[in-house]
């Protein structure tokens, strides 16, 4: 069964600290993996996309990694800011249309001053 | 960055009533989608739409649901007779092509509450 599992479910860190969010997936065949940021009451916004051949991709203070062999990805946030407080959702796509886009449950990140 | 807009942002309705959720996709996009997210749960696919017809739909998208592109800009989701379990955040999304690497642009959502 195609699944995307994220950990931790929630995380609280102090402003300025770094953190790493984890994503494990069993989606097959695999096309790409995206990390989305979802602010409360808003739609998800894409942060990064990684395909099978990519190991690391950065977008400002966000760095995503992908290990296609172990089917794991991580999102590292450096020097966190209060505006980073949001849910971070790992989304994996197979070689098909929108119904095969599998969403994780997200990690709820709270940044404390 | 271009945006998908959704209206209303919140909708409260009585069980059994019909609701229409509205979306304006990004103007040059051709592929449109509805997703929903029940509070505390994952985002779930409902339906995809291209060339004025449904491309794909999930098990959730039963006969109570319908989609329409009534004009060149709007894309609507209708729920004919709402149930309590339809309470969720409904997201519209669009993209230019249906290739898997193409980014999906999501709207801000409509929070539907069925009482």
């Amino acid at each position: 069964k195609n699944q995307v599992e994220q950990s931790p479910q929630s995380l609280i860190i102090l402003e300025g600290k770094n953190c790493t969010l984890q994503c494990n997936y069993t989606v097959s065949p695999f096309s790409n993996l995206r990390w989305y940021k979802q602010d409360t009451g808003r739609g998800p916004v894409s942060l990064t996309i990684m395909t099978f051949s990519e190991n690391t991709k950065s977008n400002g203070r966000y760095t995503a990694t992908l290990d296609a062999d172990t089917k794991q990805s991580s999102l590292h946030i450096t020097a966190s800011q209060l505006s980073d407080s949001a849910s971070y959702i790992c989304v994996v796509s197979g070689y098909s249309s929108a119904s095969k886009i599998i969403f994780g449950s997200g990690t709820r990140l709270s940044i404390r001053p | 960055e271009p945006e998908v807009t959704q209206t209303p942002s919140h909708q409260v309705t009585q069980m059994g009533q019909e609701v229409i959720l509205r979306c304006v996709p990004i103007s040059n996009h051709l592929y449109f989608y509805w997703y929903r997210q029940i509070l505390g749960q994952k985002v779930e696919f409902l339906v995809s739409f291209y060339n004025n017809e449904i491309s794909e739909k999930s098990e959730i998208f039963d006969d109570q649901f319908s989609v329409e592109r009534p004009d060149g800009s709007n894309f609507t989701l209708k729920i004919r007779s709402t149930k309590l379990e339809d309470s969720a955040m409904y997201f519209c999304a669009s993209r230019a092509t249906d290739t898997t690497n193409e980014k999906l642009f999501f709207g801000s959502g409509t929070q539907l509450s069925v009482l």
Side-chain angles (χ1 to χ4, degrees):
Chain A
K1 183 179 178 183
N2 291 326
Q3 287 187 319
V4 176
E5 301 293 336
Q6 292 186 243
S7 62
Q9 191 173 29
S10 62
L11 182 63
I12 301 173
I13 63 171
L14 292 176
E15 185 180 10
K17 298 296 185 183
N18 305 335
C19 66
T20 301
L21 313 180
Q22 301 291 341
C23 173
N24 298 333
Y25 62 93
T26 60
V27 178
S28 182
F30 172 85
S31 174
N32 63 70
L33 183 148
R34 283 188 187 275
W35 283 93
Y36 282 86
K37 179 185 179 185
Q38 185 179 20
D39 292 310
T40 302
R42 306 284 294 180
V45 176
S46 178
L47 295 174
T48 64
I49 177 174
M50 302 184 72
T51 57
F52 186 86
S53 59
E54 295 175 301
N55 300 121
T56 303
K57 184 166 282 188
S58 292
N59 176 7
R61 293 180 296 102
Y62 300 105
T63 300
T65 66
L66 175 65
D67 185 333
D69 292 329
T70 61
K71 297 184 176 167
Q72 295 179 325
S73 175
S74 66
L75 180 69
H76 186 76
I77 304 175
T78 304
S80 60
Q81 300 175 359
L82 297 178
S83 59
D84 293 333
S85 295
S87 288
Y88 291 84
I89 305 173
C90 176
V91 182
V92 181
S93 296
Y95 279 105
S96 184
S97 58
S99 67
K100 298 301 184 289
I101 298 175
I102 309 298
F103 288 74
S105 297
T107 292
R108 178 69 202 172
L109 177 64
S110 297
I111 310 298
R112 295 283 185 258
Chain B
E1 189 171 72
E3 288 187 341
V4 175
T5 57
Q6 289 185 243
T7 56
S9 57
H10 294 84
Q11 175 87 50
V12 180
T13 189
Q14 295 289 326
M15 188 171 58
Q17 294 297 304
E18 173 183 287
V19 294
I20 297 176
L21 311 182
R22 291 183 166 79
C23 169
V24 178
I26 293 170
S27 61
N28 64 337
H29 286 183
L30 301 176
Y31 294 83
F32 314 118
Y33 310 87
W34 283 101
Y35 291 83
R36 79 171 186 189
Q37 186 176 29
I38 295 171
L39 185 64
Q41 298 186 22
K42 299 179 182 183
V43 176
E44 301 172 289
F45 168 76
L46 292 178
V47 66
S48 59
F49 189 87
Y50 169 72
N51 199 26
N52 283 321
E53 60 183 30
I54 291 173
S55 309
E56 200 165 359
K57 60 184 180 179
S58 71
E59 293 174 351
I60 304 167
F61 195 88
D62 61 23
D63 292 343
Q64 293 298 314
F65 291 87
S66 63
V67 289
E68 192 177 34
R69 189 156 163 82
D71 53 43
S73 61
N74 290 286
F75 178 51
T76 62
L77 174 68
K78 181 192 291 186
I79 309 175
R80 290 190 184 82
S81 178
T82 50
K83 303 187 285 286
L84 296 176
E85 54 265 37
D86 293 328
S87 295
M89 179 75 92
Y90 287 81
F91 292 107
C92 172
S94 71
R95 56 185 177 182
T97 71
D98 200 35
T99 56
T100 55
N101 287 355
E102 183 77 22
K103 184 164 72 171
L104 266 174
F105 288 80
F106 286 87
S108 296
T110 293
Q111 179 66 56
L112 176 65
S113 299
V114 182
L115 305 179

mmCIF file of all heavy atoms in Angstrom, chain A residues 4 31-32 34 36 38 41-44 46 49 51 94 96-99 103 105, chain B residues 33 35 37 42-43 45 48 56 89 91 95 98 100-104 106-108:
data_model
loop_
_atom_site.group_PDB
_atom_site.id
_atom_site.type_symbol
_atom_site.label_atom_id
_atom_site.label_comp_id
_atom_site.label_asym_id
_atom_site.label_seq_id
_atom_site.Cartn_x
_atom_site.Cartn_y
_atom_site.Cartn_z
ATOM 1 N N VAL A 4 2.863 7.425 3.142
ATOM 2 C CA VAL A 4 3.879 8.400 3.508
ATOM 3 C C VAL A 4 3.735 8.658 5.005
ATOM 4 O O VAL A 4 2.664 9.045 5.450
ATOM 5 C CB VAL A 4 3.710 9.715 2.724
ATOM 6 C CG1 VAL A 4 4.716 10.746 3.192
ATOM 7 C CG2 VAL A 4 3.838 9.477 1.227
ATOM 8 N N SER A 31 8.131 8.875 -8.432
ATOM 9 C CA SER A 31 8.467 9.917 -9.387
ATOM 10 C C SER A 31 9.196 11.076 -8.701
ATOM 11 O O SER A 31 10.280 11.455 -9.113
ATOM 12 C CB SER A 31 7.208 10.442 -10.077
ATOM 13 O OG SER A 31 7.532 11.546 -10.892
ATOM 14 N N ASN A 32 8.575 11.647 -7.685
ATOM 15 C CA ASN A 32 9.231 12.758 -7.001
ATOM 16 C C ASN A 32 8.674 12.908 -5.594
ATOM 17 O O ASN A 32 7.634 12.333 -5.247
ATOM 18 C CB ASN A 32 9.082 14.067 -7.778
ATOM 19 C CG ASN A 32 7.640 14.506 -7.908
ATOM 20 O OD1 ASN A 32 7.012 14.914 -6.944
ATOM 21 N ND2 ASN A 32 7.102 14.417 -9.112
ATOM 22 N N ARG A 34 7.995 15.981 -2.678
ATOM 23 C CA ARG A 34 7.952 17.414 -2.385
ATOM 24 C C ARG A 34 7.770 17.622 -0.886
ATOM 25 O O ARG A 34 7.097 16.837 -0.219
ATOM 26 C CB ARG A 34 6.771 18.086 -3.071
ATOM 27 C CG ARG A 34 6.942 18.349 -4.537
ATOM 28 C CD ARG A 34 5.774 19.194 -5.044
ATOM 29 N NE ARG A 34 5.814 19.330 -6.496
ATOM 30 C CZ ARG A 34 6.502 20.235 -7.139
ATOM 31 N NH1 ARG A 34 7.231 21.099 -6.466
ATOM 32 N NH2 ARG A 34 6.482 20.300 -8.453
ATOM 33 N N TYR A 36 6.061 20.478 1.467
ATOM 34 C CA TYR A 36 5.181 21.637 1.463
ATOM 35 C C TYR A 36 5.158 22.261 2.858
ATOM 36 O O TYR A 36 5.250 21.558 3.868
ATOM 37 C CB TYR A 36 3.733 21.241 1.132
ATOM 38 C CG TYR A 36 3.443 20.977 -0.320
ATOM 39 C CD1 TYR A 36 3.673 19.719 -0.874
ATOM 40 C CD2 TYR A 36 2.896 21.959 -1.139
ATOM 41 C CE1 TYR A 36 3.387 19.470 -2.207
ATOM 42 C CE2 TYR A 36 2.597 21.719 -2.470
ATOM 43 C CZ TYR A 36 2.846 20.465 -2.988
ATOM 44 O OH TYR A 36 2.560 20.217 -4.308
ATOM 45 N N GLN A 38 2.549 24.420 5.190
ATOM 46 C CA GLN A 38 1.146 24.809 5.290
ATOM 47 C C GLN A 38 0.927 25.635 6.539
ATOM 48 O O GLN A 38 0.955 25.111 7.655
ATOM 49 C CB GLN A 38 0.230 23.578 5.294
ATOM 50 C CG GLN A 38 -1.246 23.938 5.273
ATOM 51 C CD GLN A 38 -2.161 22.719 5.243
ATOM 52 O OE1 GLN A 38 -1.762 21.623 5.599
ATOM 53 N NE2 GLN A 38 -3.395 22.918 4.817
ATOM 54 N N GLY A 41 -4.778 27.375 8.335
ATOM 55 C CA GLY A 41 -5.872 27.948 7.569
ATOM 56 C C GLY A 41 -5.519 28.325 6.144
ATOM 57 O O GLY A 41 -6.292 29.011 5.476
ATOM 58 N N ARG A 42 -4.375 27.873 5.673
ATOM 59 C CA ARG A 42 -3.953 28.199 4.319
ATOM 60 C C ARG A 42 -3.689 26.918 3.530
ATOM 61 O O ARG A 42 -3.581 25.829 4.085
ATOM 62 C CB ARG A 42 -2.659 29.030 4.346
ATOM 63 C CG ARG A 42 -2.735 30.278 5.198
ATOM 64 C CD ARG A 42 -3.493 31.375 4.541
ATOM 65 N NE ARG A 42 -2.816 31.861 3.342
ATOM 66 C CZ ARG A 42 -3.280 32.841 2.574
ATOM 67 N NH1 ARG A 42 -4.424 33.423 2.872
ATOM 68 N NH2 ARG A 42 -2.620 33.244 1.514
ATOM 69 N N GLY A 43 -3.558 27.065 2.229
ATOM 70 C CA GLY A 43 -3.217 25.922 1.397
ATOM 71 C C GLY A 43 -1.731 25.629 1.459
ATOM 72 O O GLY A 43 -0.921 26.486 1.793
ATOM 73 N N PRO A 44 -1.350 24.400 1.134
ATOM 74 C CA PRO A 44 0.074 24.041 1.139
ATOM 75 C C PRO A 44 0.838 24.803 0.060
ATOM 76 O O PRO A 44 0.321 25.045 -1.031
ATOM 77 C CB PRO A 44 0.068 22.545 0.835
ATOM 78 C CG PRO A 44 -1.334 22.086 1.089
ATOM 79 C CD PRO A 44 -2.216 23.254 0.802
ATOM 80 N N SER A 46 4.577 24.736 -1.987
ATOM 81 C CA SER A 46 5.731 23.877 -2.253
ATOM 82 C C SER A 46 7.042 24.554 -1.857
ATOM 83 O O SER A 46 7.288 25.713 -2.206
ATOM 84 C CB SER A 46 5.754 23.513 -3.735
ATOM 85 O OG SER A 46 6.877 22.715 -4.037
ATOM 86 N N ILE A 49 11.279 20.197 -4.477
ATOM 87 C CA ILE A 49 10.923 18.960 -5.167
ATOM 88 C C ILE A 49 12.201 18.191 -5.432
ATOM 89 O O ILE A 49 13.225 18.791 -5.789
ATOM 90 C CB ILE A 49 10.161 19.202 -6.485
ATOM 91 C CG1 ILE A 49 9.878 17.867 -7.180
ATOM 92 C CG2 ILE A 49 10.927 20.157 -7.392
ATOM 93 C CD1 ILE A 49 9.009 17.968 -8.409
ATOM 94 N N THR A 51 13.661 14.558 -7.332
ATOM 95 C CA THR A 51 13.425 13.367 -8.132
ATOM 96 C C THR A 51 14.370 12.260 -7.709
ATOM 97 O O THR A 51 15.239 12.465 -6.852
ATOM 98 C CB THR A 51 13.598 13.682 -9.619
ATOM 99 O OG1 THR A 51 14.917 14.202 -9.826
ATOM 100 C CG2 THR A 51 12.581 14.725 -10.061
ATOM 101 N N GLY A 94 3.749 9.272 -7.614
ATOM 102 C CA GLY A 94 4.127 8.153 -8.462
ATOM 103 C C GLY A 94 4.011 8.571 -9.916
ATOM 104 O O GLY A 94 3.717 9.718 -10.236
ATOM 105 N N SER A 96 1.964 8.815 -12.242
ATOM 106 C CA SER A 96 0.563 8.815 -12.625
ATOM 107 C C SER A 96 0.006 10.199 -12.360
ATOM 108 O O SER A 96 0.747 11.133 -12.172
ATOM 109 C CB SER A 96 -0.201 7.744 -11.849
ATOM 110 O OG SER A 96 -1.523 7.676 -12.278
ATOM 111 N N SER A 97 -1.270 10.311 -12.338
ATOM 112 C CA SER A 97 -1.889 11.633 -12.205
ATOM 113 C C SER A 97 -2.139 11.967 -10.745
ATOM 114 O O SER A 97 -1.586 11.364 -9.846
ATOM 115 C CB SER A 97 -3.182 11.670 -13.014
ATOM 116 O OG SER A 97 -4.046 10.660 -12.565
ATOM 117 N N ALA A 98 -2.995 12.945 -10.542
ATOM 118 C CA ALA A 98 -3.107 13.555 -9.221
ATOM 119 C C ALA A 98 -3.564 12.580 -8.143
ATOM 120 O O ALA A 98 -3.279 12.766 -6.974
ATOM 121 C CB ALA A 98 -4.066 14.731 -9.293
ATOM 122 N N SER A 99 -4.280 11.540 -8.506
ATOM 123 C CA SER A 99 -4.756 10.630 -7.472
ATOM 124 C C SER A 99 -3.618 9.832 -6.853
ATOM 125 O O SER A 99 -3.771 9.267 -5.776
ATOM 126 C CB SER A 99 -5.793 9.669 -8.041
ATOM 127 O OG SER A 99 -5.188 8.788 -8.969
ATOM 128 N N PHE A 103 -0.115 12.222 0.323
ATOM 129 C CA PHE A 103 0.261 13.216 1.331
ATOM 130 C C PHE A 103 0.573 12.536 2.659
ATOM 131 O O PHE A 103 -0.137 11.615 3.076
ATOM 132 C CB PHE A 103 -0.887 14.199 1.558
ATOM 133 C CG PHE A 103 -1.116 15.170 0.443
ATOM 134 C CD1 PHE A 103 -1.706 14.761 -0.745
ATOM 135 C CD2 PHE A 103 -0.750 16.500 0.574
ATOM 136 C CE1 PHE A 103 -1.924 15.660 -1.780
ATOM 137 C CE2 PHE A 103 -0.970 17.410 -0.451
ATOM 138 C CZ PHE A 103 -1.554 16.986 -1.631
ATOM 139 N N SER A 105 0.955 13.026 6.897
ATOM 140 C CA SER A 105 0.116 13.712 7.877
ATOM 141 C C SER A 105 0.704 15.028 8.338
ATOM 142 O O SER A 105 0.029 15.828 8.974
ATOM 143 C CB SER A 105 -0.101 12.816 9.103
ATOM 144 O OG SER A 105 -0.790 11.653 8.744
ATOM 145 N N TYR B 33 -7.989 20.583 -9.755
ATOM 146 C CA TYR B 33 -8.141 19.522 -8.777
ATOM 147 C C TYR B 33 -8.885 20.036 -7.539
ATOM 148 O O TYR B 33 -8.805 21.222 -7.212
ATOM 149 C CB TYR B 33 -6.758 19.015 -8.316
ATOM 150 C CG TYR B 33 -5.818 18.685 -9.446
ATOM 151 C CD1 TYR B 33 -5.011 19.662 -10.019
ATOM 152 C CD2 TYR B 33 -5.741 17.383 -9.948
ATOM 153 C CE1 TYR B 33 -4.152 19.354 -11.062
ATOM 154 C CE2 TYR B 33 -4.878 17.073 -10.982
ATOM 155 C CZ TYR B 33 -4.092 18.067 -11.536
ATOM 156 O OH TYR B 33 -3.236 17.762 -12.578
ATOM 157 N N TYR B 35 -9.089 18.852 -3.458
ATOM 158 C CA TYR B 35 -8.635 18.023 -2.364
ATOM 159 C C TYR B 35 -9.415 18.432 -1.114
ATOM 160 O O TYR B 35 -9.960 19.524 -1.046
ATOM 161 C CB TYR B 35 -7.142 18.242 -2.082
ATOM 162 C CG TYR B 35 -6.208 17.726 -3.141
ATOM 163 C CD1 TYR B 35 -5.924 18.479 -4.285
ATOM 164 C CD2 TYR B 35 -5.582 16.486 -3.003
ATOM 165 C CE1 TYR B 35 -5.055 18.001 -5.256
ATOM 166 C CE2 TYR B 35 -4.708 16.014 -3.970
ATOM 167 C CZ TYR B 35 -4.452 16.776 -5.088
ATOM 168 O OH TYR B 35 -3.591 16.308 -6.040
ATOM 169 N N GLN B 37 -9.249 18.180 3.400
ATOM 170 C CA GLN B 37 -8.477 17.835 4.586
ATOM 171 C C GLN B 37 -9.390 17.931 5.799
ATOM 172 O O GLN B 37 -9.761 19.029 6.228
ATOM 173 C CB GLN B 37 -7.271 18.771 4.734
ATOM 174 C CG GLN B 37 -6.337 18.390 5.872
ATOM 175 C CD GLN B 37 -5.109 19.286 5.918
ATOM 176 O OE1 GLN B 37 -5.136 20.448 5.516
ATOM 177 N NE2 GLN B 37 -3.995 18.743 6.400
ATOM 178 N N LYS B 42 -4.896 13.750 6.947
ATOM 179 C CA LYS B 42 -4.109 14.040 5.753
ATOM 180 C C LYS B 42 -4.962 14.709 4.684
ATOM 181 O O LYS B 42 -6.192 14.549 4.645
ATOM 182 C CB LYS B 42 -3.549 12.743 5.171
ATOM 183 C CG LYS B 42 -2.629 11.985 6.087
ATOM 184 C CD LYS B 42 -2.155 10.697 5.419
ATOM 185 C CE LYS B 42 -1.269 9.909 6.363
ATOM 186 N NZ LYS B 42 -0.732 8.688 5.727
ATOM 187 N N VAL B 43 -4.293 15.397 3.786
ATOM 188 C CA VAL B 43 -4.946 15.910 2.591
ATOM 189 C C VAL B 43 -5.313 14.726 1.695
ATOM 190 O O VAL B 43 -4.489 13.820 1.477
ATOM 191 C CB VAL B 43 -4.014 16.873 1.842
ATOM 192 C CG1 VAL B 43 -4.645 17.333 0.538
ATOM 193 C CG2 VAL B 43 -3.666 18.080 2.715
ATOM 194 N N PHE B 45 -7.150 13.347 -2.007
ATOM 195 C CA PHE B 45 -7.548 13.679 -3.376
ATOM 196 C C PHE B 45 -9.039 13.409 -3.561
ATOM 197 O O PHE B 45 -9.568 12.380 -3.133
ATOM 198 C CB PHE B 45 -6.734 12.840 -4.351
ATOM 199 C CG PHE B 45 -7.217 12.871 -5.771
ATOM 200 C CD1 PHE B 45 -6.991 13.964 -6.578
ATOM 201 C CD2 PHE B 45 -7.897 11.786 -6.298
ATOM 202 C CE1 PHE B 45 -7.432 13.993 -7.891
ATOM 203 C CE2 PHE B 45 -8.345 11.795 -7.614
ATOM 204 C CZ PHE B 45 -8.104 12.892 -8.414
ATOM 205 N N SER B 48 -9.911 15.199 -10.311
ATOM 206 C CA SER B 48 -9.126 16.009 -11.242
ATOM 207 C C SER B 48 -9.981 16.286 -12.475
ATOM 208 O O SER B 48 -10.864 15.484 -12.833
ATOM 209 C CB SER B 48 -7.824 15.307 -11.629
ATOM 210 O OG SER B 48 -8.079 14.059 -12.224
ATOM 211 N N GLU B 56 -10.167 11.960 -13.306
ATOM 212 C CA GLU B 56 -10.010 10.931 -12.305
ATOM 213 C C GLU B 56 -10.741 11.365 -11.038
ATOM 214 O O GLU B 56 -10.856 12.562 -10.760
ATOM 215 C CB GLU B 56 -8.519 10.738 -11.998
ATOM 216 C CG GLU B 56 -8.152 9.446 -11.353
ATOM 217 C CD GLU B 56 -6.658 9.174 -11.419
ATOM 218 O OE1 GLU B 56 -5.903 9.989 -11.981
ATOM 219 O OE2 GLU B 56 -6.239 8.132 -10.888
ATOM 220 N N MET B 89 -11.693 21.075 5.345
ATOM 221 C CA MET B 89 -11.136 22.157 4.539
ATOM 222 C C MET B 89 -11.021 21.620 3.119
ATOM 223 O O MET B 89 -10.452 20.552 2.901
ATOM 224 C CB MET B 89 -9.766 22.566 5.072
ATOM 225 C CG MET B 89 -9.111 23.664 4.279
ATOM 226 S SD MET B 89 -9.831 25.269 4.600
ATOM 227 C CE MET B 89 -8.775 25.845 5.920
ATOM 228 N N PHE B 91 -9.579 22.185 -0.614
ATOM 229 C CA PHE B 91 -8.561 22.916 -1.360
ATOM 230 C C PHE B 91 -8.745 22.688 -2.860
ATOM 231 O O PHE B 91 -8.895 21.560 -3.318
ATOM 232 C CB PHE B 91 -7.158 22.456 -0.980
ATOM 233 C CG PHE B 91 -6.755 22.806 0.420
ATOM 234 C CD1 PHE B 91 -6.676 21.828 1.398
ATOM 235 C CD2 PHE B 91 -6.441 24.109 0.760
ATOM 236 C CE1 PHE B 91 -6.294 22.136 2.692
ATOM 237 C CE2 PHE B 91 -6.060 24.436 2.051
ATOM 238 C CZ PHE B 91 -5.990 23.449 3.023
ATOM 239 N N ARG B 95 -2.573 23.305 -12.142
ATOM 240 C CA ARG B 95 -1.244 23.325 -12.716
ATOM 241 C C ARG B 95 -1.350 23.357 -14.228
ATOM 242 O O ARG B 95 -2.382 23.049 -14.798
ATOM 243 C CB ARG B 95 -0.390 22.158 -12.234
ATOM 244 C CG ARG B 95 -0.919 20.771 -12.442
ATOM 245 C CD ARG B 95 0.033 19.773 -11.775
ATOM 246 N NE ARG B 95 -0.453 18.395 -11.867
ATOM 247 C CZ ARG B 95 0.163 17.354 -11.343
ATOM 248 N NH1 ARG B 95 1.299 17.512 -10.691
ATOM 249 N NH2 ARG B 95 -0.332 16.133 -11.462
ATOM 250 N N ASP B 98 -0.047 18.042 -16.656
ATOM 251 C CA ASP B 98 -0.342 16.947 -15.737
ATOM 252 C C ASP B 98 0.875 16.053 -15.518
ATOM 253 O O ASP B 98 0.760 14.945 -15.017
ATOM 254 C CB ASP B 98 -1.512 16.112 -16.254
ATOM 255 C CG ASP B 98 -2.160 15.306 -15.141
ATOM 256 O OD1 ASP B 98 -2.223 15.810 -14.007
ATOM 257 O OD2 ASP B 98 -2.580 14.161 -15.394
ATOM 258 N N THR B 100 4.100 14.701 -13.647
ATOM 259 C CA THR B 100 4.198 14.537 -12.196
ATOM 260 C C THR B 100 5.141 15.553 -11.555
ATOM 261 O O THR B 100 5.016 15.837 -10.373
ATOM 262 C CB THR B 100 4.658 13.127 -11.838
ATOM 263 O OG1 THR B 100 5.890 12.847 -12.507
ATOM 264 C CG2 THR B 100 3.623 12.107 -12.268
ATOM 265 N N ASN B 101 6.111 16.079 -12.302
ATOM 266 C CA ASN B 101 7.032 17.057 -11.716
ATOM 267 C C ASN B 101 6.482 18.482 -11.730
ATOM 268 O O ASN B 101 7.087 19.391 -11.171
ATOM 269 C CB ASN B 101 8.374 17.037 -12.448
ATOM 270 C CG ASN B 101 9.184 15.805 -12.116
ATOM 271 O OD1 ASN B 101 8.795 15.003 -11.265
ATOM 272 N ND2 ASN B 101 10.290 15.622 -12.789
ATOM 273 N N GLU B 102 5.360 18.664 -12.363
ATOM 274 C CA GLU B 102 4.772 20.002 -12.428
ATOM 275 C C GLU B 102 4.199 20.367 -11.058
ATOM 276 O O GLU B 102 3.468 19.596 -10.445
ATOM 277 C CB GLU B 102 3.657 20.031 -13.472
ATOM 278 C CG GLU B 102 3.010 21.385 -13.698
ATOM 279 C CD GLU B 102 3.860 22.310 -14.548
ATOM 280 O OE1 GLU B 102 4.714 21.807 -15.285
ATOM 281 O OE2 GLU B 102 3.658 23.536 -14.456
ATOM 282 N N LYS B 103 4.527 21.587 -10.611
ATOM 283 C CA LYS B 103 4.090 22.006 -9.287
ATOM 284 C C LYS B 103 2.592 22.248 -9.255
ATOM 285 O O LYS B 103 2.019 22.845 -10.168
ATOM 286 C CB LYS B 103 4.832 23.277 -8.883
ATOM 287 C CG LYS B 103 4.514 23.754 -7.477
ATOM 288 C CD LYS B 103 5.512 24.767 -6.961
ATOM 289 C CE LYS B 103 5.402 26.104 -7.610
ATOM 290 N NZ LYS B 103 6.239 27.115 -6.922
ATOM 291 N N LEU B 104 1.973 21.782 -8.193
ATOM 292 C CA LEU B 104 0.574 22.071 -7.924
ATOM 293 C C LEU B 104 0.495 23.375 -7.137
ATOM 294 O O LEU B 104 1.193 23.543 -6.144
ATOM 295 C CB LEU B 104 -0.054 20.969 -7.079
ATOM 296 C CG LEU B 104 -0.788 19.823 -7.754
ATOM 297 C CD1 LEU B 104 -1.182 18.800 -6.710
ATOM 298 C CD2 LEU B 104 -1.996 20.306 -8.512
ATOM 299 N N PHE B 106 -1.892 25.483 -4.797
ATOM 300 C CA PHE B 106 -3.089 25.322 -3.987
ATOM 301 C C PHE B 106 -3.696 26.678 -3.628
ATOM 302 O O PHE B 106 -2.973 27.654 -3.389
ATOM 303 C CB PHE B 106 -2.766 24.590 -2.678
ATOM 304 C CG PHE B 106 -2.523 23.116 -2.832
ATOM 305 C CD1 PHE B 106 -1.259 22.643 -3.136
ATOM 306 C CD2 PHE B 106 -3.563 22.207 -2.675
ATOM 307 C CE1 PHE B 106 -1.025 21.280 -3.278
ATOM 308 C CE2 PHE B 106 -3.340 20.849 -2.811
ATOM 309 C CZ PHE B 106 -2.069 20.382 -3.117
ATOM 310 N N GLY B 107 -5.013 26.702 -3.548
ATOM 311 C CA GLY B 107 -5.690 27.850 -2.976
ATOM 312 C C GLY B 107 -5.631 27.798 -1.457
ATOM 313 O O GLY B 107 -5.111 26.848 -0.870
ATOM 314 N N SER B 108 -6.170 28.825 -0.823
ATOM 315 C CA SER B 108 -6.139 28.920 0.643
ATOM 316 C C SER B 108 -7.198 28.058 1.308
ATOM 317 O O SER B 108 -7.188 27.906 2.519
ATOM 318 C CB SER B 108 -6.334 30.364 1.081
ATOM 319 O OG SER B 108 -5.266 31.165 0.628
#
